[in-house]
């Protein structure tokens, strides 16, 4: 049975690798360039900068996702004897969706090492007040969700220690929470890096392009942060022992809702233009 599970997992991972690598190698289209530059026919230098930026984001995110998925497959088969996609297994370390999302966040952080080319000579940076970036509402929702998962885990630990005298029974929930909070914190660090990086004053065009790239990056990472927080909360709910036996349906509803929200946020975080991209202004809808 374990051999069959391993073969199926390898086939699934192989198919995922082909799909993701193909997507990553796809050259940015005219619609992609118009979306990020805000110009239906962007100048050649802007188009080149945006093309490199999108290729970097797509490649780094795909590499991160594949690394996370492969790690989940290895850990799941080797140490747990099974894989779970979503929620409800013995550990999120055996969940390709959870570790794949972690890899995407790591890839987004790596991609944000991007900088607009510096000119020769003295370097100048804008001293104008900084904005908080796009996606502030998603960040607040992610923080609230992470806080709720933390409270639920704390209650589970207290219940296990005081009522059942078996704290070890809730250690799995605590470990799951810590893993999830680490991903949320990484997303926060990535977004802070984008918000805090130097802003160019090379020209009005360079400043405007930097604003649009920054808006995309902060909005995209905010979606990833919310996906991580919701997925963590779903794992915590699935692992908690606080729900009575006759209320298991509440856990099922919470888990299914969490999975749906996580998938929606992952889709919104893609480095792809929305169905109706905005071609003017400084905020890019992610």
């Amino acid at each position: 049975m374990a051999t069959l599970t391993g073969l199926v997992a390898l086939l699934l991972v192989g198919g995922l690798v082909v799909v993701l690598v193909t997507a990553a190698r796809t050259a940015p289209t005219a619609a992609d360039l118009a979306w990020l530059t805000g110009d239906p026919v962007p100048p050649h230098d802007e188009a080149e900068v945006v093309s490199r930026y999108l290729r970097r984001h797509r490649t780094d995110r795909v590499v991160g996702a594949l690394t996370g998925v492969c790690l989940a497959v290895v850990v799941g088969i080797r140490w747990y004897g099974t894989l779970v996609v979503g929620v409800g297994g013995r550990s999120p370390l055996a969940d390709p969706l959870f570790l794949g999302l972690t890899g995407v966040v790591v890839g987004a952080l790596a991609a944000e090492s991007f900088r607009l080319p510096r000119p020769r000579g003295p370097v100048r940076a804008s001293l104008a007040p900084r904005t908080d970036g796009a996606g502030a509402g998603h960040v607040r929702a992610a923080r609230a969700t992470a806080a709720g998962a933390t409270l639920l885990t704390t209650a589970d630990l207290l219940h296990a220690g005081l009522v059942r005298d078996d704290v070890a029974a809730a250690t799995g929930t605590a470990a799951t929470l810590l893993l999830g909070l680490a991903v949320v914190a990484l997303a926060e660090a990535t977004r802070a890096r984008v918000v805090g990086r130097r802003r160019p004053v090379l020209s009005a065009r360079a400043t405007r392009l930097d604003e649009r790239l920054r808006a995309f990056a902060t909005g995209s990472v905010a979606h990833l942060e919310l996906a991580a927080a919701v997925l963590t909360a779903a794992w915590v709910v699935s692992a908690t022992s606080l729900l009575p036996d006759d209320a298991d349906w509440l856990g099922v509803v919470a888990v299914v809702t969490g999975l749906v929200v996580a998938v929606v946020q992952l889709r919104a975080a893609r480095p792809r233009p929305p169905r109706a991209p905005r071609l003017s202004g400084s905020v890019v809808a992610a």
Side-chain angles (χ1 to χ4, degrees):
M1 184 64 182
T3 302
L4 178 60
T5 301
L7 289 175
V8 172
L10 288 176
L11 289 175
L12 291 175
V13 171
L16 181 63
V17 168
V18 172
V19 171
L20 292 179
V21 170
T22 301
R25 292 175 61 87
T26 302
T29 65
D32 295 332
L33 301 180
W35 165 54
L36 271 186
T37 61
D39 188 342
V41 186
H44 175 73
D45 54 350
E46 290 189 17
E48 183 63 24
V49 168
V50 171
S51 293
R52 292 200 306 268
Y53 183 79
L54 283 175
R55 283 196 295 267
R56 180 190 297 270
H57 254 280
R58 290 172 181 173
T59 300
D60 288 1
R61 290 184 185 208
V62 166
V63 170
L66 289 178
T67 301
V69 169
C70 291
L71 179 61
V73 170
V74 172
V75 172
I77 294 177
R78 173 63 179 82
W79 280 280
Y80 296 101
T82 186
L83 292 175
V84 57
V85 179
V87 173
R90 295 173 59 187
S91 170
L93 290 177
D95 178 9
L97 177 60
F98 186 86
L99 290 192
L101 170 61
T102 303
V104 172
V105 175
V106 173
L109 176 59
E112 282 307 320
S113 62
F114 171 84
R115 294 290 184 274
L116 289 174
R118 288 185 180 181
R120 294 182 179 179
V123 177
R124 296 181 298 165
S126 173
L127 296 179
R130 297 181 183 274
T131 63
D132 292 333
H138 291 85
V139 172
R140 288 192 294 270
R143 291 171 179 172
T145 303
T150 301
L151 290 176
L152 181 60
T153 302
T154 303
D156 194 28
L157 286 170
L158 291 174
H159 179 265
L162 299 178
V163 178
R164 294 185 298 164
D165 196 22
D166 185 14
V167 178
T171 55
T173 307
T176 297
L177 174 70
L178 292 177
L179 286 171
L181 292 182
V183 181
V184 172
L186 179 60
E188 289 268 357
T190 303
R191 195 170 179 277
R193 179 188 180 101
V194 177
V195 171
R197 73 186 180 201
R198 288 192 299 267
R199 292 165 295 174
V201 288
L202 308 177
S203 67
R205 283 199 302 123
T207 300
R208 177 174 176 273
L209 180 59
D210 179 71
E211 288 177 351
R212 293 187 70 86
L213 294 181
R214 195 187 304 269
F216 154 71
T218 52
S220 178
V221 174
H223 285 296
L224 292 174
E225 182 178 345
L226 181 55
V230 169
L231 201 56
T232 299
W235 265 100
V236 168
V237 170
S238 71
T240 186
S241 60
L242 294 176
L243 294 177
D245 293 337
D246 58 350
D248 285 346
W249 63 273
L250 289 174
V252 173
V253 171
V255 167
V256 171
T257 302
L259 287 175
V260 170
V261 172
V263 170
V264 169
Q265 294 304 312
L266 284 173
R267 180 177 175 80
R270 298 179 306 164
R272 303 277 181 184
R275 293 183 178 180
R278 297 169 57 177
L279 300 181
S280 61
S282 60
V283 177
V284 181

